[in-house]
Amino acid sequence: MTTNSNTAEEGAAAPAIEPASAQPPRLLRLPEVMNRVGLRRSAIYQRMSEGRFPKCRTLGAKCSVWVEAEINAWIDGIVRSSNQAD
């Protein structure tokens, strides 16, 4: 009877290690979101209430942020739908 104490040496999968270049999620404040998407504050909040824009996160009483990746995905979706309509 043999025990298997060296599983890493025998081909067991090692835990996935993220590359050093992987950046943590970035949070955007309203002025940057407005600049990126070309919409005013009221249009952003209107679309959010309709479910047509990424929801913001609240960090405090007067601090709302959006996840950059969600904003980028929304922009990509607009570009894709525009290209399909052509």
Side-chain angles (χ1 to χ4, degrees), residues 36-38 52-54 67-85:
R36 286 190 181 204
V37 302
R52 299 187 304 132
F53 195 80
V67 178
E68 181 180 38
E70 293 175 2
I71 297 299
N72 291 341
W74 182 85
I75 293 169
D76 291 342
I78 295 295
V79 170
R80 277 193 306 270
S81 67
S82 175
N83 288 343
Q84 290 174 355

Side-chain angles (χ1 to χ4, degrees), residues 28-45 53 66 71 74-75:
L28 307 176
R29 299 289 302 269
L30 182 59
E32 188 169 355
V33 173
M34 290 169 48
N35 188 33
R36 286 190 181 204
V37 302
L39 296 172
R40 310 238 347 143
R41 178 188 185 279
S42 57
I44 289 171
Y45 281 99
F53 195 80
W66 285 259
I71 297 299
W74 182 85
I75 293 169

